[in-house]
Amino acid sequence: MPAVRVDGIEVAYDRVGQGPPLVLAHGATADARLFRPQAEDLADEFTVVAWDEPGAGRSSDVPPSFTLADYARCLAAVIEDVDLGPAHVLGVSWGGTVVLELYRHHAALVRTLLLVDTYAGWKGSLPAAEVRSRVEGAERMLAVPAEAFAPTMPGLFAGRPPAEAVRLLSVMSADTRAQSMRTELTVMVEADLRDLLPNIEVPTLLLWGELDARSPVDPVAHQFLEAIPRATLVVLPGIGHLSNIEAPEPFNRTVREFCSAHS
């Protein structure tokens, strides 16, 4: 298991394949295992790197003072450790917010951005009432025993969750650490990266599930499309928030075509 240490925090990641680096950042209550369908399919053409963000999976816990820039600095250290030059960097949901902050502080490490069903921070993409509702829901989630946590919360999938996805989310959610999750939640609530979007100079893929209820195509994806100069929006029909595991075949095909065109 590769790992890199940043200010005393060990950050673990998986690495498979050969070719240009494709770095994957997962969302909340998940870890590198979220990207198994991508690692298995795309490693023939890319060096696929999926991290366990600080506070998740095999990585160290984070202190309550951890900031969005700290997450981005840790992701930058992973890309530097892979040592293959600027990477295609993909973020799903909260992971996309981290990836945007990576670009703000470490643009030289980014070849392209792939923003998937994501946010410019909750404050930057959602109405204040919706943010308050999500905070309340997250606190209720964190208050229940681990065995009672429901990983397939409303809005993650457009229809009935695939059985394998339920198993995978159940395993990852069982490993969620409440204190690190609370730190992440605090960062998510306050993040607003709208000022960054017009200054993104690399090719950017916006990849969205048509029926994403967590980060709706309209208005969130359209706001990204309007603000980022070199953005392209691809919408996967009939798919929800976790598009990479609900529809891995069209998801992987779209990612492959975009990265190949810009490698």
Side-chain angles (χ1 to χ4, degrees):
M1 177 194 71
V4 63
R5 186 168 290 274
V6 184
D7 297 334
I9 294 176
E10 186 171 75
V11 184
Y13 63 91
D14 294 332
R15 173 178 176 168
V16 296
Q18 295 184 11
L22 170 60
V23 176
L24 311 175
H26 58 80
T29 71
D31 55 47
R33 289 172 288 187
L34 183 75
F35 293 113
R36 282 178 178 170
Q38 285 66 58
E40 292 171 357
D41 182 60
L42 298 171
D44 65 324
E45 188 173 351
F46 303 96
T47 300
V48 181
V49 176
W51 81 335
D52 289 342
E53 72 173 14
R58 301 154 295 181
S59 296
S60 301
D61 289 332
V62 297
S65 60
F66 217 63
T67 67
L68 185 57
D70 292 326
Y71 285 101
R73 187 171 69 255
C74 290
L75 186 55
V78 169
I79 297 173
E80 290 170 340
D81 196 55
V82 172
D83 197 24
L84 291 176
H88 304 289
V89 189
L90 180 153
V92 170
S93 192
W94 147 253
T97 306
V98 175
V99 164
L100 285 169
E101 187 74 357
L102 169 78
Y103 184 83
R104 183 192 296 278
H105 297 287
H106 310 276
L109 296 177
V110 180
R111 181 185 299 272
T112 67
L113 289 172
L114 298 90
L115 305 176
V116 181
D117 297 285
T118 190
Y119 315 92
W122 278 2
K123 187 175 182 180
S125 291
L126 301 174
E130 176 63 17
V131 173
R132 288 193 298 270
S133 175
R134 293 191 182 198
V135 171
E136 292 168 0
E139 289 295 344
R140 288 194 299 270
M141 177 190 77
L142 292 169
V144 303
E147 61 272 14
F149 174 59
T152 55
M153 66 182 70
L156 291 186
F157 299 97
R160 185 178 180 85
E164 181 57 35
V166 173
R167 285 191 291 270
L168 176 61
L169 292 174
S170 296
V171 170
M172 290 190 296
S173 65
D175 293 336
T176 298
R177 292 168 243 168
Q179 187 53 57
S180 288
M181 186 63 208
R182 285 193 173 90
T183 300
E184 181 180 291
L185 179 64
T186 300
V187 174
M188 292 167 73
V189 168
E190 292 301 322
D192 184 349
L193 285 76
R194 284 176 291 182
D195 67 303
L196 171 67
L197 304 183
N199 299 313
I200 294 175
E201 298 179 350
V202 297
T204 301
L205 174 67
L206 309 173
L207 184 51
W208 245 259
E210 178 192 21
L211 303 181
D212 185 350
R214 301 286 297 172
S215 177
V217 174
D218 189 11
V220 181
H222 290 160
Q223 290 170 348
F224 277 109
L225 184 62
E226 182 177 343
I228 299 175
R230 300 178 66 186
T232 301
L233 173 62
V234 175
V235 177
L236 300 178
I239 302 303
H241 187 61
L242 287 184
S243 53
N244 72 298
I245 59 174
E246 188 172 8
E249 290 185 6
F251 183 97
N252 294 348
R253 183 171 60 252
T254 303
V255 170
R256 183 187 295 273
E257 291 172 354
F258 177 81
C259 293
S260 295
H262 298 287
S263 289

mmCIF file of all heavy atoms in Angstrom, residues 120-139:
data_model
loop_
_atom_site.group_PDB
_atom_site.id
_atom_site.type_symbol
_atom_site.label_atom_id
_atom_site.label_comp_id
_atom_site.label_asym_id
_atom_site.label_seq_id
_atom_site.Cartn_x
_atom_site.Cartn_y
_atom_site.Cartn_z
ATOM 1 N N ALA A 120 -19.350 23.506 -5.557
ATOM 2 C CA ALA A 120 -18.345 24.525 -5.267
ATOM 3 C C ALA A 120 -18.401 24.822 -3.773
ATOM 4 O O ALA A 120 -18.476 25.969 -3.334
ATOM 5 C CB ALA A 120 -18.612 25.781 -6.083
ATOM 6 N N GLY A 121 -18.386 23.746 -2.975
ATOM 7 C CA GLY A 121 -18.701 23.837 -1.554
ATOM 8 C C GLY A 121 -20.206 23.888 -1.382
ATOM 9 O O GLY A 121 -20.940 24.307 -2.283
ATOM 10 N N TRP A 122 -20.689 23.432 -0.227
ATOM 11 C CA TRP A 122 -22.129 23.517 0.011
ATOM 12 C C TRP A 122 -22.598 24.964 0.011
ATOM 13 O O TRP A 122 -23.622 25.296 -0.583
ATOM 14 C CB TRP A 122 -22.479 22.850 1.345
ATOM 15 C CG TRP A 122 -22.610 21.359 1.236
ATOM 16 C CD1 TRP A 122 -22.411 20.592 0.125
ATOM 17 C CD2 TRP A 122 -22.977 20.453 2.279
ATOM 18 N NE1 TRP A 122 -22.623 19.261 0.405
ATOM 19 C CE2 TRP A 122 -22.974 19.147 1.713
ATOM 20 C CE3 TRP A 122 -23.298 20.612 3.626
ATOM 21 C CZ2 TRP A 122 -23.291 18.020 2.463
ATOM 22 C CZ3 TRP A 122 -23.600 19.497 4.377
ATOM 23 C CH2 TRP A 122 -23.601 18.203 3.802
ATOM 24 N N LYS A 123 -21.829 25.836 0.648
ATOM 25 C CA LYS A 123 -22.204 27.252 0.677
ATOM 26 C C LYS A 123 -22.167 27.850 -0.726
ATOM 27 O O LYS A 123 -22.964 28.736 -1.057
ATOM 28 C CB LYS A 123 -21.256 28.018 1.607
ATOM 29 C CG LYS A 123 -21.627 29.463 1.850
ATOM 30 C CD LYS A 123 -20.690 30.098 2.872
ATOM 31 C CE LYS A 123 -21.069 31.536 3.179
ATOM 32 N NZ LYS A 123 -20.143 32.128 4.190
ATOM 33 N N GLY A 124 -21.277 27.327 -1.566
ATOM 34 C CA GLY A 124 -21.130 27.865 -2.911
ATOM 35 C C GLY A 124 -22.116 27.325 -3.919
ATOM 36 O O GLY A 124 -22.231 27.879 -5.024
ATOM 37 N N SER A 125 -22.861 26.249 -3.575
ATOM 38 C CA SER A 125 -23.750 25.631 -4.561
ATOM 39 C C SER A 125 -25.183 25.430 -4.099
ATOM 40 O O SER A 125 -26.053 25.185 -4.940
ATOM 41 C CB SER A 125 -23.193 24.260 -4.979
ATOM 42 O OG SER A 125 -22.012 24.391 -5.736
ATOM 43 N N LEU A 126 -25.428 25.501 -2.792
ATOM 44 C CA LEU A 126 -26.754 25.148 -2.277
ATOM 45 C C LEU A 126 -27.387 26.314 -1.524
ATOM 46 O O LEU A 126 -26.685 27.117 -0.905
ATOM 47 C CB LEU A 126 -26.643 23.946 -1.333
ATOM 48 C CG LEU A 126 -26.062 22.657 -1.927
ATOM 49 C CD1 LEU A 126 -25.874 21.618 -0.826
ATOM 50 C CD2 LEU A 126 -26.950 22.118 -3.039
ATOM 51 N N PRO A 127 -28.721 26.408 -1.536
ATOM 52 C CA PRO A 127 -29.401 27.421 -0.736
ATOM 53 C C PRO A 127 -29.128 27.210 0.753
ATOM 54 O O PRO A 127 -28.911 26.078 1.209
ATOM 55 C CB PRO A 127 -30.882 27.203 -1.060
ATOM 56 C CG PRO A 127 -30.898 26.424 -2.334
ATOM 57 C CD PRO A 127 -29.659 25.587 -2.325
ATOM 58 N N ALA A 128 -29.162 28.276 1.523
ATOM 59 C CA ALA A 128 -28.848 28.200 2.944
ATOM 60 C C ALA A 128 -29.762 27.230 3.687
ATOM 61 O O ALA A 128 -29.311 26.488 4.576
ATOM 62 C CB ALA A 128 -28.941 29.599 3.573
ATOM 63 N N ALA A 129 -31.040 27.202 3.315
ATOM 64 C CA ALA A 129 -31.975 26.292 3.984
ATOM 65 C C ALA A 129 -31.606 24.834 3.722
ATOM 66 O O ALA A 129 -31.717 23.982 4.616
ATOM 67 C CB ALA A 129 -33.400 26.568 3.517
ATOM 68 N N GLU A 130 -31.154 24.535 2.511
ATOM 69 C CA GLU A 130 -30.740 23.177 2.182
ATOM 70 C C GLU A 130 -29.478 22.784 2.954
ATOM 71 O O GLU A 130 -29.347 21.649 3.420
ATOM 72 C CB GLU A 130 -30.492 23.059 0.681
ATOM 73 C CG GLU A 130 -29.956 21.714 0.215
ATOM 74 C CD GLU A 130 -30.899 20.545 0.443
ATOM 75 O OE1 GLU A 130 -32.110 20.788 0.666
ATOM 76 O OE2 GLU A 130 -30.432 19.388 0.410
ATOM 77 N N VAL A 131 -28.562 23.726 3.096
ATOM 78 C CA VAL A 131 -27.344 23.450 3.869
ATOM 79 C C VAL A 131 -27.707 23.131 5.318
ATOM 80 O O VAL A 131 -27.193 22.164 5.894
ATOM 81 C CB VAL A 131 -26.373 24.642 3.808
ATOM 82 C CG1 VAL A 131 -25.185 24.416 4.752
ATOM 83 C CG2 VAL A 131 -25.875 24.852 2.374
ATOM 84 N N ARG A 132 -28.611 23.920 5.892
ATOM 85 C CA ARG A 132 -29.022 23.651 7.278
ATOM 86 C C ARG A 132 -29.662 22.279 7.400
ATOM 87 O O ARG A 132 -29.396 21.529 8.357
ATOM 88 C CB ARG A 132 -30.002 24.737 7.753
ATOM 89 C CG ARG A 132 -29.348 26.087 8.005
ATOM 90 C CD ARG A 132 -30.279 27.015 8.767
ATOM 91 N NE ARG A 132 -31.495 27.311 8.019
ATOM 92 C CZ ARG A 132 -31.611 28.336 7.172
ATOM 93 N NH1 ARG A 132 -30.575 29.146 6.967
ATOM 94 N NH2 ARG A 132 -32.745 28.558 6.541
ATOM 95 N N SER A 133 -30.487 21.915 6.438
ATOM 96 C CA SER A 133 -31.141 20.611 6.466
ATOM 97 C C SER A 133 -30.121 19.485 6.386
ATOM 98 O O SER A 133 -30.235 18.467 7.097
ATOM 99 C CB SER A 133 -32.137 20.517 5.303
ATOM 100 O OG SER A 133 -32.710 19.233 5.229
ATOM 101 N N ARG A 134 -29.099 19.651 5.564
ATOM 102 C CA ARG A 134 -28.080 18.604 5.425
ATOM 103 C C ARG A 134 -27.239 18.471 6.691
ATOM 104 O O ARG A 134 -26.852 17.362 7.069
ATOM 105 C CB ARG A 134 -27.201 18.896 4.214
ATOM 106 C CG ARG A 134 -27.966 18.783 2.915
ATOM 107 C CD ARG A 134 -27.048 18.800 1.716
ATOM 108 N NE ARG A 134 -27.839 18.738 0.490
ATOM 109 C CZ ARG A 134 -27.371 18.399 -0.691
ATOM 110 N NH1 ARG A 134 -26.095 18.064 -0.818
ATOM 111 N NH2 ARG A 134 -28.146 18.374 -1.750
ATOM 112 N N VAL A 135 -26.939 19.585 7.306
ATOM 113 C CA VAL A 135 -26.186 19.532 8.562
ATOM 114 C C VAL A 135 -26.980 18.774 9.618
ATOM 115 O O VAL A 135 -26.438 17.906 10.323
ATOM 116 C CB VAL A 135 -25.842 20.948 9.056
ATOM 117 C CG1 VAL A 135 -25.252 20.903 10.470
ATOM 118 C CG2 VAL A 135 -24.865 21.624 8.100
ATOM 119 N N GLU A 136 -28.258 19.085 9.726
ATOM 120 C CA GLU A 136 -29.100 18.388 10.710
ATOM 121 C C GLU A 136 -29.156 16.896 10.404
ATOM 122 O O GLU A 136 -29.077 16.055 11.315
ATOM 123 C CB GLU A 136 -30.503 18.994 10.701
ATOM 124 C CG GLU A 136 -30.539 20.421 11.239
ATOM 125 C CD GLU A 136 -31.875 21.105 10.965
ATOM 126 O OE1 GLU A 136 -32.763 20.450 10.349
ATOM 127 O OE2 GLU A 136 -32.026 22.280 11.352
ATOM 128 N N GLY A 137 -29.290 16.545 9.122
ATOM 129 C CA GLY A 137 -29.327 15.140 8.740
ATOM 130 C C GLY A 137 -28.019 14.436 9.039
ATOM 131 O O GLY A 137 -28.006 13.282 9.499
ATOM 132 N N ALA A 138 -26.903 15.119 8.785
ATOM 133 C CA ALA A 138 -25.602 14.512 9.055
ATOM 134 C C ALA A 138 -25.396 14.292 10.547
ATOM 135 O O ALA A 138 -24.854 13.265 10.969
ATOM 136 C CB ALA A 138 -24.492 15.398 8.495
ATOM 137 N N GLU A 139 -25.835 15.236 11.356
ATOM 138 C CA GLU A 139 -25.694 15.074 12.805
ATOM 139 C C GLU A 139 -26.524 13.901 13.302
ATOM 140 O O GLU A 139 -26.083 13.145 14.174
ATOM 141 C CB GLU A 139 -26.092 16.367 13.522
ATOM 142 C CG GLU A 139 -25.098 17.510 13.342
ATOM 143 C CD GLU A 139 -23.748 17.207 13.974
ATOM 144 O OE1 GLU A 139 -23.652 16.277 14.793
ATOM 145 O OE2 GLU A 139 -22.769 17.907 13.623
#
